[in-house]
C-alpha cells in the first residue's frame, strides 16, 4: 500500500505542477496585456493634456474609442484570469462583469462608424466641416452611442429576468463566467445574434460608403489629393479594426466547440492563442495606429512614454 506521506507528496506535486503550468501559460498573456493597458492609459492622458485634442472632434472620438477599448481589455483580462484560475463566480457578479464588457464592446464599432463619417465630411465637404462636425454635435453623437449600447444591455437584463433563478439550489455558477454562460435562454441567444449582426452590418456599411465617397471625391480636381489618400488609408484601417472586432463574437462559441474534442490542457493553450488574436489584438490597434501615424499625437505620446524626458532630435548631438 502507498503510505500517506507518499500520497501527500504526489498531491502536492500535482498541485505544484498545475500552478507552474498556470503561471507559464498566463504570464506571456498577462504581461503584454499590462503593457498595452499602460500604453492605452498614456494615450488617454495624452488626448486630455492639450487643448488641441480636447477641442477637435476627431480626437474626441478617438478618446471615446480608446476609453472603451481600454475598459474592454481590462475586463477581458479579468475574465481570462478567472478562467485560467478556474474560479467559478455567482450569477450576479458574472452578470455585472459581462454587462460592462458587452457595453464597451458595442461602443467600438459604433465609434468607428462615427470616425469614418467625420473623415468623409472632412474630405468631401471641407468648407462645411467646421459647421457640421462641431464639438457639440460630437458630444451628442457620443451620448447617442452610449445610450444605444446601454439600451442593448438593458434589454439583455430584462431577458435574464425571465430565467427562473429561484428554482436554482444556489446562485453559484456551474460554468466559468463568460458572455455565453449568461445567455440563459433561447430568446437571449437569438437577441444577441440579431443585435450583433445589425451592429456590425451598420458599422460596416457606414465605413464602406465613406470609403467609396472619399474615392469618388479623390478624383475631383478641387479635392486635396494628399488628404484624400490619407483618409482612404485611415478608413481601410477602420474596416480592418471592425473585422477584428467582429471576430470577438465567435470567440466563446469556438472555445465551447473545441472543448468537446480536446483535453483541458490543450483547450487552455488554444484559448490563450485565440484570446491574443481575437480579443487582445483589436483593442491595441487604436493606440498603435494613431500613436504612430498621427503627426500631432506622436511627439506628445513619446514624450509621456519616455517619462517626460526631452529626447534629442535625429541628427543632433546631445549636449
Amino acid at each position: 500500500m502507498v503510505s500517506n506521506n507518499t500520497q501527500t507528496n504526489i498531491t502536492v506535486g500535482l498541485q505544484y505542477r498545475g500552478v507552474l503550468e498556470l503561471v507559464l501559460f498566463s504570464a506571456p498573456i498577462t504581461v503584454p496585456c499590462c503593457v498595452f493597458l499602460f500604453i492605452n492609459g498614456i494615450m488617454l492622458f495624452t488626448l486630455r493634456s492639450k487643448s488641441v485634442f480636447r477641442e477637435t472632434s476627431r480626437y474626441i472620438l478617438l478618446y471615446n474609442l480608446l476609453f472603451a477599448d481600454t475598459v474592454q481589455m481590462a475586463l477581458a483580462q479579468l475574465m481570462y484570469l478567472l478562467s485560467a484560475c478556474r474560479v467559478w463566480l455567482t450569477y450576479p457578479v458574472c452578470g455585472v462583469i459581462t454587462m460592462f464588457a458587452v457595453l464597451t464592446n458595442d461602443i467600438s464599432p459604433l465609434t468607428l462608424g462615427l470616425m469614418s463619417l467625420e473623415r468623409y465630411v472632412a474630405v468631401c465637404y471641407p468648407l462645411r466641416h467646421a459647421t457640421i462636425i462641431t464639438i457639440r454635435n460630437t458630444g451628442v453623437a457620443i451620448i447617442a452611442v452610449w445610450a444605444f449600447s446601454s439600451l442593448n444591455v438593458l434589454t439583455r437584463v430584462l431577458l435574464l429576468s425571465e430565467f427562473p433563478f429561484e428554482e436554482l439550489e444556489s446562485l453559484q455558477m456551474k460554468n466559468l463566467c463568460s458572455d455565453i454562460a449568461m445567455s440563459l435562454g433561447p430568446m437571449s441567444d437569438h437577441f444577441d445574434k440579431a443585435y450583433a449582426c445589425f451592429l456590425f452590418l451598420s458599422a460596416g456599411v457606414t465605413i464602406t460608403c465613406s470609403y467609396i465617397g472619399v474615392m469618388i471625391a479623390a478624383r475631383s480636381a478641387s479635392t486635396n489629393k494628399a488628404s484624400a489618400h490619407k483618409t482612404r488609408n485611415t478608413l481601410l484601417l477602420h474596416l480592418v479594426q471592425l473585422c477584428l472586432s467582429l471576430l470577438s463574437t465567435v470567440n466563446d462559441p469556438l472555445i465551447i466547440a473545441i472543448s468537446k474534442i480536446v483535453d483541458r490542457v490543450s483547450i487552455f493553450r488554444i484559448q490563450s492563442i485565440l484570446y491574443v488574436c481575437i480579443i487582445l489584438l483589436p483593442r491595441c490597434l487604436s493606440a498603435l495606429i494613431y500613436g504612430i501615424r498621427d503627426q500631432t499625437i506622436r511627439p506628445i505620446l513619446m514624450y509621456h512614454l519616455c517619462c517626460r524626458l526631452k529626447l534629442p532630435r535625429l541628427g543632433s548631438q546631445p549636449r
Side-chain angles (χ1 to χ4, degrees):
M1 294 181 62
V2 181
S3 65
N4 292 334
N5 289 337
T6 304
Q7 290 180 347
T8 303
N9 291 336
I10 293 174
T11 303
V12 172
L14 290 175
Q15 291 177 348
Y16 176 77
R17 180 183 176 184
V19 172
L20 182 61
E21 182 180 280
L22 176 63
V23 172
L24 288 176
F25 283 116
S26 299
I29 309 299
T30 304
V31 172
C33 181
C34 292
V35 171
F36 282 117
L37 282 174
F38 172 74
I39 294 175
N40 276 21
I42 295 296
M43 186 76 165
L44 289 171
F45 176 78
T46 300
L47 290 172
R48 303 302 298 174
S49 63
K50 300 291 183 179
S51 59
V52 65
F53 299 137
R54 297 192 299 267
E55 298 172 1
T56 305
S57 296
R58 180 159 60 100
Y59 296 122
I60 295 173
L61 291 172
L62 176 59
Y63 183 90
N64 187 63
L65 177 65
L66 274 173
F67 177 78
D69 284 347
T70 304
V71 175
Q72 173 68 16
M73 194 189 307
L75 292 173
Q77 183 63 23
L78 174 62
M79 295 177 71
Y80 172 80
L81 291 176
L82 290 174
S83 176
C85 298
R86 314 299 292 177
V87 176
W88 279 264
L89 303 177
T90 61
Y91 280 105
V93 175
C94 181
V96 171
I97 294 175
T98 54
M99 292 308 162
F100 275 109
V102 168
L103 175 64
T104 52
N105 188 59
D106 293 347
I107 296 297
S108 296
L110 293 173
T111 306
L112 286 172
L114 288 178
M115 294 174 73
S116 300
L117 287 175
E118 188 275 332
R119 289 292 83 200
Y120 169 77
V121 174
V123 173
C124 299
Y125 303 97
L127 299 179
R128 300 178 58 188
H129 179 265
T131 56
I132 297 175
I133 311 297
T134 61
I135 295 178
R136 180 180 178 278
N137 290 343
T138 303
V140 171
I142 291 175
I143 292 173
V145 164
W146 281 89
F148 184 77
S149 302
S150 300
L151 185 62
N152 170 43
V153 173
L154 179 61
T155 305
R156 290 169 64 102
V157 172
L158 293 176
L159 290 174
L160 281 177
S161 64
E162 298 179 359
F163 186 80
F165 287 102
E166 64 277 0
E167 298 179 6
L168 298 176
E169 296 180 0
S170 171
L171 291 177
Q172 187 72 36
M173 298 181 66
K174 297 180 180 179
N175 298 313
L176 295 172
C177 181
S178 67
D179 188 25
I180 295 251
M182 293 305 297
S183 296
L184 301 177
M187 283 295 295
S188 233
D189 185 51
H190 295 330
F191 173 78
D192 292 344
K193 291 178 180 178
Y195 180 82
C197 289
F198 168 77
L199 181 68
F200 286 97
L201 184 62
S202 58
V205 169
T206 301
I207 297 174
T208 304
C209 291
S210 299
Y211 179 80
I212 294 173
V214 170
M215 288 289 291
I216 294 174
R219 298 179 180 179
S220 173
S222 60
T223 304
N224 187 324
K225 305 296 182 182
S227 176
H229 179 74
K230 186 177 180 180
T231 300
R232 185 187 64 183
N233 293 338
T234 301
L235 292 176
L236 283 176
L237 289 172
H238 287 172
L239 200 57
V240 171
Q241 287 178 271
L242 183 67
C243 292
L244 290 174
S245 297
L246 180 60
L247 287 176
S248 65
T249 60
V250 302
N251 181 62
D252 288 340
L254 194 58
I255 291 175
I256 291 175
I258 295 175
S259 64
K260 297 178 181 178
I261 57 176
V262 298
D263 59 283
R264 187 179 70 86
V265 177
S266 299
I267 188 60
F268 184 69
R269 293 173 180 173
I270 295 172
Q271 181 184 8
S272 299
I273 296 172
L274 291 177
Y275 171 73
V276 173
C277 299
I278 295 179
I279 303 296
L280 189 60
L281 180 61
R283 308 302 169 190
C284 306
L285 283 180
S286 298
L288 293 176
I289 290 172
Y290 287 94
I292 295 174
R293 293 181 72 242
D294 196 289
Q295 299 296 328
T296 306
I297 295 178
R298 182 167 57 188
I300 303 176
L301 176 63
M302 294 303 299
Y303 172 73
H304 289 301
L305 284 176
C306 297
C307 302
R308 302 187 177 186
L309 295 176
K310 292 185 177 181
L311 300 178
R313 294 182 179 180
L314 292 177
S316 63
Q317 297 294 331
R319 295 181 180 178

